Amino acid sequence: MMRPPEAESFFADSRKAVGDTDLRRKLEGAVGRHLEQVEIVAGAFPQYEQEKVAARRIKEEAISRLPELLEQLRRNLEAKGARVFFAGDAAEARNYIVDLGRKNAVKLAVKGKSMATEEIELNHALQGAGIEVVETDLGEYIVQLRGERPSHIITPAIHLSKEDVGKLFEQKLAAPYTNVPEELTVVARARLREKFLAADMGVVGANFAVAETGSIVLVENEGNGRLTTSLPEVVVAVMGIEKVIPRASDLSHFMEILGRTATGQKLTTYVNFVNGVRRAGELDGPRELHVVILDNGRSQMLADPVLREALYCLRCGACLNVCPVFRRIGGHAYGTTYPGPIGSIISPSLVHEGQAGHLAFASTLCGACKDICPVKIDIPRILLHLRWRATEGDIAVKWPQAAHRVRTGAKLTARLFAAPSLMRALSRAASVLLRPFARDGYLSWLPPPFNGWTQSRDFPLFGGTGNRVAGAKSAPVEAGNTGSGPTGSRDAGQRHDPEAHETEQAHQ
Amino acid sequence: MSDFAAATNLMRAALKRAGAAQNGHGETQPQAVATPPAPTASREEMSAHFVRELKELGGKAVVVDSPQAAIDAIVEFARVFEVKSAAIGEGARTDLQPLSEALGRNGVAVFSVAQAPEEKRAELRARVASADAGVVEADFGVAASGTLVFVPTPARPRSLSLVPPVNIVLLRTDYLLPNLAALMSALGVDAMRDNPVAFVTGPSRTADIEKRLVRGVHGPKTLYAVLVRSGRD
Ligand code: SF4
């Protein structure tokens, strides 16, 4: 099971990730290629802005009419022979699906890409019941083989290179080593095709659920979602309550923006309608179709007029790709199912009730997420709102001691920056005293309480231009308290400071 | 198990308690959404655009003048791509019997998957799983994105455009639409309610390894669309 995301581990993991130049290189390469493509494709579509507004309006309508739309969806699904289950929380959803597997003597379940099933940690539960679970989206398959969680909601293996995947397939699948993506894909296709043909159960998420027609709509590129819902005898779709949209014709607006913003395609390769069970004489399609409608904290978001906007999210992943924090630390450091800007605003409600509040503080509020979001979610505004809620104490934030020091240091530094004459005098003195420690006019170590700054970046020494490109520190010893430098020894001393608070509220 | 009615009532209460969403943009009232006007392109222009789009995605496409020319093109394609076995169903708009026979005469083992009775399902499924190609007629095409739209029924099940590594698709040009919005009205609500509809835009693909594009991961790797000129222009 996933450990609850805490500020302590977030600081440690993100510090480690920032120092991981290999991870940075992979992230920047993949994200850079991706953003280029998005820009080209979106730029060539004159109605892009118009379609975003249309999609936004539909989501506003859908969320404000949520109860009646869900009721309509259920009626229409049941009329086609599907069974609908409402799960108040993750455990209810898990138990329902595990029971279903038991009742149908399921041995092998194949899965389409679904963040909702990650959220409820379904794989773990199914495996516990003796059911083999195979992720079939290539990226998900890769991270499953590695025993990891996805690091991105669209590109789960974005933190891995083709060499990493080559080694993984060599190790786990006994395939001859190659680093050619085409060849790796051929290996995966053959393995997974066997699984598709043998599976008794298919589990998918939902990109949209159309109330008017009782349709679950899956949007994907590989065809694995379509196979997962066409071949097994029992199919389960897990959807958050916010996935419902009023009309089938609304889909065209989402289709026009989703591929463009998520993957830089005019249209995603497959848009699949899952519509009820197999008909008489039909070759394919499930004998049983189940739809699990998942709340798991979402109606709490409904009750917060500011946070409610986060329910418009299409899970396109665009805000992750443009986020300067995500691009430095990657997805895993967040410690949550949903990483990145959208994860920081939904995780406290969805996955870890009342926890993960520290993530609202892990943002520069630069606004890049808001600008790229296809449904124009004002993420910075919601982050500020969550910070406020955290200071009010209705979202718990357990600050580690280190954070306290960082913020004390930051506060003092901020005061110095705000008083130019004092700053000049001090840094002139410092530049003389600290010159022996500097390289290229930058200091890589400052004494406490200023060491919060130098733990992950260098400090410009007086006289430097101060415009050196911000980047990760390459020397990992300075990135953590390894005890090998002055930072380490001082920290060790401070850890026993009886004055230090173990925890504190955010408003201090 | 949570009670559905109780749950939706709680949501109602939550919405009411919170009042209107405060989302910085001002909540918009539900209203009809304006769709971009359908470009008034001719059928010929739409066909050309469709072919260009599909080729850009790594698919293959031609426009031909008659049903017989379509048969000839498909037979030739089967020869070049060494298609030895093919699954076929009933056409959406066209009688596929002549095509099926022509392929048979040219050494392709063609078998029909239209109407699979329960006792024959397992065997037919296995045959589709090992077939070189699936042959199927698309119900609609979308010119703007090179999209093929399938409305699968027991007479033409979804596996045809999904399971075999090669997908051969017939499309009548009078069922080409300029864009998705136009498709939505042409397709109609009933088709989207009752059938496992699929919009297919190009061969199956992935970019999961270093964001590099690879074709044919789970669905068909080779997609060949034959557009047949039909109807008045
Ligand atoms: S918040 Fe917006 S940009 Fe981020 S994943 Fe959701 S829809 Fe995409």
Side-chain angles (χ1 to χ4, degrees), chain A residues 153 258 261 310 312-320 341-342 345 369-370 372-377 379:
Chain A
I153 60 180
L258 192 54
T261 175
Y312 304 161
C313 174
L314 308 179
R315 306 278 187 269
C316 76
C319 55
L320 280 62
I342 183 63
I345 59 177
C369 47
K370 175 187 173 185
I372 198 145
C373 177
V375 283
K376 299 170 176 290
I377 299 175
I379 295 176

mmCIF file of all heavy atoms in Angstrom, chain A residues 153 258 261 310 312-320 341-342 345 369-370 372-377 379, ligand 1:
data_model
loop_
_atom_site.group_PDB
_atom_site.id
_atom_site.type_symbol
_atom_site.label_atom_id
_atom_site.label_comp_id
_atom_site.label_asym_id
_atom_site.label_seq_id
_atom_site.Cartn_x
_atom_site.Cartn_y
_atom_site.Cartn_z
ATOM 1 N N ILE A 153 0.389 11.308 -15.346
ATOM 2 C CA ILE A 153 -0.935 10.738 -15.554
ATOM 3 C C ILE A 153 -1.189 10.355 -17.004
ATOM 4 O O ILE A 153 -2.086 9.589 -17.297
ATOM 5 C CB ILE A 153 -2.066 11.651 -15.004
ATOM 6 C CG1 ILE A 153 -2.077 13.016 -15.683
ATOM 7 C CG2 ILE A 153 -1.947 11.817 -13.509
ATOM 8 C CD1 ILE A 153 -3.186 13.930 -15.154
ATOM 9 N N LEU A 258 -8.796 17.633 -26.370
ATOM 10 C CA LEU A 258 -8.087 16.690 -25.499
ATOM 11 C C LEU A 258 -6.809 16.139 -26.139
ATOM 12 O O LEU A 258 -5.744 16.135 -25.523
ATOM 13 C CB LEU A 258 -9.034 15.552 -25.090
ATOM 14 C CG LEU A 258 -8.546 14.650 -23.961
ATOM 15 C CD1 LEU A 258 -8.165 15.449 -22.727
ATOM 16 C CD2 LEU A 258 -9.600 13.619 -23.600
ATOM 17 N N THR A 261 -4.098 18.955 -26.469
ATOM 18 C CA THR A 261 -3.410 19.407 -25.266
ATOM 19 C C THR A 261 -2.682 18.268 -24.541
ATOM 20 O O THR A 261 -1.633 18.469 -23.942
ATOM 21 C CB THR A 261 -4.395 20.139 -24.321
ATOM 22 O OG1 THR A 261 -3.722 20.458 -23.125
ATOM 23 C CG2 THR A 261 -5.567 19.272 -23.966
ATOM 24 N N ALA A 310 -11.940 22.291 -9.534
ATOM 25 C CA ALA A 310 -10.988 21.211 -9.823
ATOM 26 C C ALA A 310 -11.679 19.979 -10.387
ATOM 27 O O ALA A 310 -11.046 19.130 -11.010
ATOM 28 C CB ALA A 310 -10.204 20.853 -8.560
ATOM 29 N N TYR A 312 -13.594 19.957 -12.825
ATOM 30 C CA TYR A 312 -13.716 20.080 -14.282
ATOM 31 C C TYR A 312 -12.568 19.360 -14.996
ATOM 32 O O TYR A 312 -12.574 19.203 -16.206
ATOM 33 C CB TYR A 312 -13.687 21.545 -14.734
ATOM 34 C CG TYR A 312 -14.721 22.451 -14.100
ATOM 35 C CD1 TYR A 312 -14.559 23.836 -14.113
ATOM 36 C CD2 TYR A 312 -15.867 21.934 -13.497
ATOM 37 C CE1 TYR A 312 -15.496 24.679 -13.545
ATOM 38 C CE2 TYR A 312 -16.805 22.777 -12.917
ATOM 39 C CZ TYR A 312 -16.615 24.148 -12.943
ATOM 40 O OH TYR A 312 -17.539 24.978 -12.373
ATOM 41 N N CYS A 313 -11.561 18.963 -14.234
ATOM 42 C CA CYS A 313 -10.323 18.429 -14.819
ATOM 43 C C CYS A 313 -10.567 17.245 -15.752
ATOM 44 O O CYS A 313 -11.317 16.329 -15.434
ATOM 45 C CB CYS A 313 -9.386 18.007 -13.695
ATOM 46 S SG CYS A 313 -7.912 17.180 -14.284
ATOM 47 N N LEU A 314 -9.907 17.253 -16.889
ATOM 48 C CA LEU A 314 -10.006 16.162 -17.871
ATOM 49 C C LEU A 314 -8.862 15.169 -17.725
ATOM 50 O O LEU A 314 -8.762 14.235 -18.507
ATOM 51 C CB LEU A 314 -9.974 16.733 -19.293
ATOM 52 C CG LEU A 314 -10.949 17.857 -19.636
ATOM 53 C CD1 LEU A 314 -10.738 18.295 -21.084
ATOM 54 C CD2 LEU A 314 -12.381 17.391 -19.432
ATOM 55 N N ARG A 315 -7.955 15.402 -16.779
ATOM 56 C CA ARG A 315 -6.763 14.544 -16.610
ATOM 57 C C ARG A 315 -5.948 14.489 -17.903
ATOM 58 O O ARG A 315 -5.542 13.409 -18.334
ATOM 59 C CB ARG A 315 -7.140 13.120 -16.212
ATOM 60 C CG ARG A 315 -8.021 13.012 -15.000
ATOM 61 C CD ARG A 315 -7.265 13.079 -13.701
ATOM 62 N NE ARG A 315 -8.156 12.795 -12.579
ATOM 63 C CZ ARG A 315 -8.841 13.719 -11.903
ATOM 64 N NH1 ARG A 315 -8.730 15.008 -12.221
ATOM 65 N NH2 ARG A 315 -9.609 13.388 -10.891
ATOM 66 N N CYS A 316 -5.734 15.636 -18.506
ATOM 67 C CA CYS A 316 -4.999 15.660 -19.770
ATOM 68 C C CYS A 316 -3.496 15.679 -19.533
ATOM 69 O O CYS A 316 -2.711 15.420 -20.435
ATOM 70 C CB CYS A 316 -5.415 16.866 -20.602
ATOM 71 S SG CYS A 316 -4.698 18.409 -20.018
ATOM 72 N N GLY A 317 -3.082 16.045 -18.326
ATOM 73 C CA GLY A 317 -1.666 16.027 -17.993
ATOM 74 C C GLY A 317 -0.889 17.262 -18.421
ATOM 75 O O GLY A 317 0.302 17.378 -18.138
ATOM 76 N N ALA A 318 -1.543 18.196 -19.087
ATOM 77 C CA ALA A 318 -0.824 19.355 -19.615
ATOM 78 C C ALA A 318 -0.190 20.201 -18.507
ATOM 79 O O ALA A 318 0.924 20.697 -18.649
ATOM 80 C CB ALA A 318 -1.758 20.218 -20.458
ATOM 81 N N CYS A 319 -0.905 20.328 -17.388
ATOM 82 C CA CYS A 319 -0.377 21.191 -16.328
ATOM 83 C C CYS A 319 0.898 20.600 -15.721
ATOM 84 O O CYS A 319 1.755 21.341 -15.235
ATOM 85 C CB CYS A 319 -1.434 21.462 -15.265
ATOM 86 S SG CYS A 319 -2.165 20.002 -14.516
ATOM 87 N N LEU A 320 1.037 19.287 -15.775
ATOM 88 C CA LEU A 320 2.276 18.672 -15.284
ATOM 89 C C LEU A 320 3.446 19.088 -16.179
ATOM 90 O O LEU A 320 4.517 19.456 -15.707
ATOM 91 C CB LEU A 320 2.181 17.148 -15.291
ATOM 92 C CG LEU A 320 1.438 16.434 -14.154
ATOM 93 C CD1 LEU A 320 -0.030 16.812 -14.095
ATOM 94 C CD2 LEU A 320 1.577 14.936 -14.297
ATOM 95 N N PRO A 341 0.553 19.921 -10.635
ATOM 96 C CA PRO A 341 -0.363 20.956 -10.141
ATOM 97 C C PRO A 341 -1.762 20.427 -9.835
ATOM 98 O O PRO A 341 -2.303 20.680 -8.754
ATOM 99 C CB PRO A 341 -0.406 21.955 -11.298
ATOM 100 C CG PRO A 341 0.900 21.786 -11.997
ATOM 101 C CD PRO A 341 1.240 20.346 -11.879
ATOM 102 N N ILE A 342 -2.337 19.648 -10.755
ATOM 103 C CA ILE A 342 -3.690 19.146 -10.486
ATOM 104 C C ILE A 342 -3.671 18.221 -9.269
ATOM 105 O O ILE A 342 -4.567 18.267 -8.426
ATOM 106 C CB ILE A 342 -4.311 18.466 -11.730
ATOM 107 C CG1 ILE A 342 -5.743 18.019 -11.457
ATOM 108 C CG2 ILE A 342 -3.483 17.268 -12.207
ATOM 109 C CD1 ILE A 342 -6.715 19.116 -11.156
ATOM 110 N N ILE A 345 -3.866 20.003 -5.949
ATOM 111 C CA ILE A 345 -5.155 20.547 -5.497
ATOM 112 C C ILE A 345 -6.206 19.467 -5.220
ATOM 113 O O ILE A 345 -7.117 19.690 -4.446
ATOM 114 C CB ILE A 345 -5.726 21.640 -6.445
ATOM 115 C CG1 ILE A 345 -5.955 21.125 -7.863
ATOM 116 C CG2 ILE A 345 -4.812 22.857 -6.458
ATOM 117 C CD1 ILE A 345 -6.586 22.158 -8.792
ATOM 118 N N CYS A 369 0.215 26.515 -15.412
ATOM 119 C CA CYS A 369 -0.817 25.467 -15.445
ATOM 120 C C CYS A 369 -2.156 26.035 -15.868
ATOM 121 O O CYS A 369 -2.874 25.464 -16.679
ATOM 122 C CB CYS A 369 -0.924 24.806 -14.065
ATOM 123 S SG CYS A 369 -0.994 25.965 -12.693
ATOM 124 N N LYS A 370 -2.475 27.182 -15.313
ATOM 125 C CA LYS A 370 -3.749 27.808 -15.631
ATOM 126 C C LYS A 370 -3.810 28.189 -17.111
ATOM 127 O O LYS A 370 -4.832 28.022 -17.770
ATOM 128 C CB LYS A 370 -3.908 29.057 -14.761
ATOM 129 C CG LYS A 370 -5.127 29.886 -15.064
ATOM 130 C CD LYS A 370 -5.101 31.186 -14.268
ATOM 131 C CE LYS A 370 -6.255 32.086 -14.716
ATOM 132 N NZ LYS A 370 -6.185 33.398 -14.052
ATOM 133 N N ILE A 372 -2.314 26.796 -19.655
ATOM 134 C CA ILE A 372 -2.386 25.692 -20.616
ATOM 135 C C ILE A 372 -3.641 24.844 -20.444
ATOM 136 O O ILE A 372 -4.059 24.154 -21.366
ATOM 137 C CB ILE A 372 -1.121 24.798 -20.535
ATOM 138 C CG1 ILE A 372 -1.015 23.962 -21.827
ATOM 139 C CG2 ILE A 372 -1.155 23.868 -19.322
ATOM 140 C CD1 ILE A 372 0.381 23.715 -22.285
ATOM 141 N N CYS A 373 -4.262 24.909 -19.288
ATOM 142 C CA CYS A 373 -5.387 24.012 -18.994
ATOM 143 C C CYS A 373 -6.513 24.162 -20.026
ATOM 144 O O CYS A 373 -7.003 25.253 -20.261
ATOM 145 C CB CYS A 373 -5.933 24.288 -17.591
ATOM 146 S SG CYS A 373 -7.376 23.265 -17.212
ATOM 147 N N PRO A 374 -6.919 23.046 -20.643
ATOM 148 C CA PRO A 374 -7.937 23.117 -21.690
ATOM 149 C C PRO A 374 -9.318 23.506 -21.167
ATOM 150 O O PRO A 374 -10.170 23.905 -21.959
ATOM 151 C CB PRO A 374 -7.962 21.706 -22.269
ATOM 152 C CG PRO A 374 -7.456 20.844 -21.177
ATOM 153 C CD PRO A 374 -6.450 21.665 -20.435
ATOM 154 N N VAL A 375 -9.545 23.356 -19.870
ATOM 155 C CA VAL A 375 -10.819 23.824 -19.334
ATOM 156 C C VAL A 375 -10.597 24.992 -18.366
ATOM 157 O O VAL A 375 -11.450 25.296 -17.539
ATOM 158 C CB VAL A 375 -11.635 22.685 -18.674
ATOM 159 C CG1 VAL A 375 -12.290 21.818 -19.739
ATOM 160 C CG2 VAL A 375 -10.766 21.824 -17.780
ATOM 161 N N LYS A 376 -9.452 25.623 -18.519
ATOM 162 C CA LYS A 376 -9.168 26.899 -17.860
ATOM 163 C C LYS A 376 -9.338 26.871 -16.340
ATOM 164 O O LYS A 376 -9.885 27.786 -15.727
ATOM 165 C CB LYS A 376 -10.061 28.001 -18.443
ATOM 166 C CG LYS A 376 -9.828 28.232 -19.941
ATOM 167 C CD LYS A 376 -10.892 29.154 -20.515
ATOM 168 C CE LYS A 376 -10.618 29.477 -21.962
ATOM 169 N NZ LYS A 376 -9.451 30.359 -22.156
ATOM 170 N N ILE A 377 -8.884 25.779 -15.729
ATOM 171 C CA ILE A 377 -8.965 25.715 -14.273
ATOM 172 C C ILE A 377 -7.926 26.660 -13.670
ATOM 173 O O ILE A 377 -6.753 26.616 -14.035
ATOM 174 C CB ILE A 377 -8.741 24.272 -13.777
ATOM 175 C CG1 ILE A 377 -9.824 23.350 -14.341
ATOM 176 C CG2 ILE A 377 -8.726 24.211 -12.246
ATOM 177 C CD1 ILE A 377 -9.635 21.885 -14.013
ATOM 178 N N ILE A 379 -5.771 27.030 -11.333
ATOM 179 C CA ILE A 379 -5.067 26.248 -10.305
ATOM 180 C C ILE A 379 -4.380 27.133 -9.256
ATOM 181 O O ILE A 379 -4.490 26.865 -8.059
ATOM 182 C CB ILE A 379 -4.084 25.249 -10.961
ATOM 183 C CG1 ILE A 379 -4.875 24.216 -11.777
ATOM 184 C CG2 ILE A 379 -3.227 24.541 -9.899
ATOM 185 C CD1 ILE A 379 -4.026 23.227 -12.546
HETATM 186 S S1 SF4 C 1 -6.033 20.638 -14.452
HETATM 187 FE FE1 SF4 C 1 -6.328 21.188 -16.594
HETATM 188 S S2 SF4 C 1 -4.274 20.971 -17.479
HETATM 189 FE FE2 SF4 C 1 -4.209 19.855 -15.531
HETATM 190 S S3 SF4 C 1 -4.717 17.731 -16.051
HETATM 191 FE FE3 SF4 C 1 -6.653 18.750 -15.489
HETATM 192 S S4 SF4 C 1 -7.506 19.471 -17.443
HETATM 193 FE FE4 SF4 C 1 -5.342 19.013 -17.809
#
